[in-house]
Amino acid sequence: MRYMLLIYGPESHYGTLDEQGMGELMAAYGRFHEEISGAPGVYQDAARLQPVATATTVRLRDGKAASTDGPFAETKEQLGGYYLIDVKDLDEAIAWAEKVPSATYGSIEIRPVWDE
Amino acid sequence: MTNEAARQAVEAVFRDDYGRIVASLIRHCEDFELAEEALQDALARALTRWPRDGVPDQPRAWVTITAKNRLIDVLRREKQRSEKYAELLPRLEEEEFEMHEYPDDRLRLIFTCCHPALNHEARVALTLNTLCGLGVSEIARAFLVRDQTLAQRLVRAKRKIREARIPYRVPPVSLLPERLPAVLAVVYLVFNEGYAASSGDELIRRDLCVEGIRLARLLAELLPDEPEVHGLLALLLLSDSRRDARSRPDGSLVLLEDQDRSLWDQDAIREGIAVLEAALRAGRPGPYQLQAAIAAVHAEAERPSETDWRQIRLLYDRLLDLHPSAVVALNRAVAVAMLEGPEAGLAAVDEAASDGELDDYVYLHSTRADFFRRLARTDEARQAYERALALVTNAAEREFLSRRLAEL
């Protein structure tokens, strides 16, 4: 069963980190990535996203496309990246989500992937 | 065989074995709705067959096998549409005709129903619906929500279990400390909803208490090494022992100190204390064991004046250490007042309420009101009763508070 771990966190958090803090976070992600890629069959894909300031939102209404700057709604936490994993059940997905370094300051939303 | 006897036999299976059968069916098909439909179908068949053919020697086995066959029929019919059904089918067909029941099927079921990925209301509703076999409208009436709201809540929860693949299992020992409290909380809530609510149908409320105790017994039987499970069972038995003394025939509330203690159910008290003592021997106290111990101290006092308040305060101190909470601190203040007088009680209440968390809590204001009343500080007592009355939702409690206010 595939699950998407959507990593949310306040982007402002990164501004509060000094060079050492940022280095520690990156190192934590490095260790997590190593662990999850080492688990047979689990890791599918992952990406880190650029800040929402770089985002563009597109909608098509009545056949007309409109692109706008930024995300749809202002929220406290922004989507910052994701992991796509393949595990047995939700408990296993939760166990991986708990290990994502951003879980300590943000939140990880687990969404089952619609499998055909 | 009369129709009546057959109907009673079907009802007995429904009442006593619903959870057990549905739990084993879910193990086979990993689908709540499918399992429930199969079981309901089997029960409906029993209702038409048993009056004609007689009640089988083993009614539960008959219903289980019939339900399993229904399940196989449905899977055969649907296998073209679902890969998963096609996978499950051979396993189900191969298994011996006599379907095995594993004692932990119901344990799996309750852990699944109380999974942290489901919200609280859904956990309670699912547990009552699947494990206790309570119908939608019964549960809706007990929780004062519309049938449709409750039905949607159940459908959504069952869909989430299926779609997000919440595992159907007893969590491994390493996860038990994290998962067990949610299960115990649901069982406590089931009982307490029946015990504390004043509105709603009296019979349904009694049912909830009975179901709560039944679930606690089941957990105690299946998880014999978890002292908090036994602590919960003891707490429910000891609370339930006072059921006949805690309200008047008109439904109004009787405070613990005013209850006719000869109405307390001595069998329930004896059992509750025995269960508690066995739990405490494990040397791993927890909130349920401590609350049960407090209930036991009350139960052991033949008259209110004989209550060992020192022991109760000590137990509240330990409860606060383990589980700091403003509500517990408020209860402790009552014990302080009994030992040292209302003035000391008031000081303890104000300390408990200092962070404002209890501002909208009825019992904060009713407790303060009572202490003011006993100190003859009438104006403050009146204010506190009025505040409590503005917050109270329970009719019996409202009546009690109004009476006290009028007596000032």
Side-chain angles (χ1 to χ4, degrees):
Chain A
M1 177 95 179
R2 289 190 302 158
Y3 296 88
M4 189 80 129
L5 309 185
L6 298 162
I7 303 166
Y8 285 90
E11 283 179 357
S12 55
H13 175 76
Y14 306 105
T16 67
L17 294 177
D18 57 15
E19 204 170 316
Q20 195 198 343
M22 200 63 194
E24 277 165 13
L25 183 62
M26 287 300 115
Y29 262 102
R31 284 192 300 274
F32 173 71
H33 198 85
E34 202 168 308
E35 184 181 353
I36 201 166
S37 340
V42 172
Y43 175 80
Q44 305 280 304
D45 189 24
R48 180 185 173 193
L49 306 180
Q50 299 265 11
V52 282
T54 63
T56 306
T57 303
V58 176
R59 285 183 202 84
L60 197 63
R61 295 284 182 279
D62 303 321
K64 264 187 251 168
S67 301
T68 50
D69 180 28
F72 176 60
E74 287 296 329
T75 47
K76 282 203 195 99
E77 295 194 329
Q78 293 80 26
L79 182 62
Y82 69 85
Y83 269 86
L84 182 64
I85 62 174
D86 192 353
V87 291
K88 194 169 94 237
D89 56 36
L90 186 63
D91 276 357
E92 286 191 12
I94 291 173
W96 283 112
E98 283 170 357
K99 292 181 179 176
V100 175
S102 296
T104 56
Y105 60 89
S107 54
I108 315 299
E109 181 178 326
I110 304 173
R111 296 276 288 269
V113 171
W114 201 283
D115 274 320
E116 294 312 316
Chain B
M1 175 58 50
T2 65
N3 282 355
E4 181 56 21
R7 198 180 54 77
Q8 279 177 7
V10 176
E11 253 172 36
V13 172
F14 184 85
R15 192 179 56 239
D16 301 331
D17 300 315
Y18 186 95
R20 195 195 295 263
I21 301 174
V22 93
S24 73
L25 292 169
I26 293 173
R27 175 165 46 80
H28 286 277
C29 68
E30 296 170 18
D31 189 305
F32 276 59
E33 278 154 332
L34 218 53
E36 284 168 332
E37 273 166 34
L39 176 51
Q40 274 151 19
D41 200 78
L43 288 166
R45 275 171 197 229
L47 271 178
T48 55
R49 297 264 175 90
W50 294 3
R52 196 183 65 207
D53 306 342
V55 177
D57 290 341
Q58 293 177 297
R60 184 171 96 211
W62 189 99
V63 172
T64 309
I65 290 168
T66 307
K68 185 193 166 192
N69 288 334
R70 279 299 299 149
L71 203 57
I72 292 177
D73 288 345
V74 175
L75 294 183
R76 280 195 186 129
R77 203 174 60 220
E78 303 281 322
K79 72 176 174 199
Q80 312 296 347
R81 286 204 292 144
S82 162
E83 215 172 286
K84 194 172 147 209
Y85 290 174
E87 255 170 54
L88 288 170
L89 195 55
R91 218 170 72 198
L92 207 59
E93 285 171 331
E94 264 170 37
E95 214 175 289
E96 285 175 60
F97 201 62
E98 187 71 35
M99 189 152 102
H100 295 295
E101 278 172 3
Y102 297 95
D104 65 355
D105 278 343
R106 280 174 297 169
L107 198 56
R108 282 182 221 204
L109 185 52
I110 194 167
F111 272 101
T112 306
C113 291
C114 300
H115 196 278
L118 301 168
N119 68 42
H120 284 280
E121 289 92 357
R123 291 180 204 168
V124 175
L126 261 184
T127 302
L128 285 172
N129 182 233
T130 53
L131 214 65
C132 307
L134 257 59
V136 167
S137 57
E138 283 171 287
I139 305 171
R141 260 183 292 162
F143 289 90
L144 303 175
V145 296
R146 290 164 51 221
D147 283 15
Q148 201 191 347
T149 310
L150 196 101
Q152 274 169 357
R153 199 175 282 172
L154 284 170
V155 167
R156 208 176 301 136
K158 287 171 187 172
R159 189 179 304 152
K160 178 159 185 189
I161 289 172
R162 190 175 55 231
E163 305 296 346
R165 204 174 286 181
I166 290 177
Y168 185 56
R169 63 163 189 178
V170 178
V173 177
S174 62
L175 274 181
L176 216 49
E178 192 186 313
R179 296 282 168 88
L180 186 57
V183 174
L184 299 183
V186 163
V187 175
Y188 181 74
L189 209 71
V190 166
F191 176 86
N192 208 43
E193 194 58 35
Y195 195 69
S198 77
S199 40
D201 193 317
E202 184 65 35
L203 272 174
I204 289 170
R205 286 175 40 213
R206 185 69 207 131
D207 270 358
L208 289 179
C209 289
V210 171
E211 289 302 341
I213 291 174
R214 211 157 81 124
L215 288 169
R217 276 191 203 285
L218 174 68
L219 286 173
E221 184 193 315
L222 298 174
L223 294 169
D225 300 329
E226 293 296 327
E228 274 294 86
V229 175
H230 298 271
L232 173 65
L233 174 59
L235 174 61
L236 301 193
L237 287 168
L238 289 166
S239 307
D240 197 50
S241 73
R242 302 182 209 135
R243 65 184 174 272
D244 294 332
R246 59 194 290 278
S247 59
R248 298 188 183 82
D250 65 359
S252 63
L253 204 69
V254 186
L255 287 186
L256 190 56
E257 57 185 88
D258 301 326
Q259 288 177 10
D260 174 357
R261 299 188 176 210
S262 71
L263 295 175
W264 287 2
D265 177 349
Q266 291 302 322
D267 288 340
I269 291 175
R270 263 190 300 277
E271 190 192 352
I273 289 176
V275 169
L276 174 64
E277 282 174 350
L280 289 171
R281 275 198 288 276
R284 286 188 282 147
Y288 291 112
Q289 292 169 77
L290 289 168
Q291 290 178 78
I294 291 165
V297 174
H298 285 300
E300 282 170 335
E302 277 180 38
R303 279 180 289 279
S305 58
E306 289 168 16
T307 308
D308 186 348
W309 288 104
R310 204 164 298 279
Q311 179 70 16
I312 290 178
R313 182 174 58 180
L314 203 71
L315 289 164
Y316 274 122
D317 285 340
R318 297 205 55 193
L319 195 54
L320 270 179
D321 282 345
L322 268 174
H323 201 72
S325 113
V327 172
V328 174
L330 178 63
N331 287 322
R332 180 184 170 277
V334 176
V336 169
M338 294 309 290
L339 280 170
E340 298 170 22
E343 193 114 28
L346 204 53
V349 165
D350 288 341
E351 197 192 317
S354 59
D355 65 357
E357 195 192 316
L358 297 178
D359 282 356
D360 292 331
Y361 189 56
V362 181
Y363 302 110
L364 169 66
H365 303 288
S366 61
T367 306
R368 292 183 85 232
D370 189 53
F371 293 164
F372 285 132
R373 181 183 64 87
R374 288 200 255 162
L375 290 165
R377 287 159 68 173
T378 313
D379 286 348
E380 287 154 297
R382 177 170 299 119
Q383 274 180 14
Y385 277 123
E386 281 166 357
R387 188 77 202 275
L389 276 164
L391 294 164
V392 75
T393 53
N394 179 309
E397 285 172 7
R398 174 185 307 280
E399 202 273 326
F400 172 79
L401 292 169
S402 308
R403 196 155 28 109
R404 278 281 157 94
L405 179 60
E407 284 164 5
L408 280 177

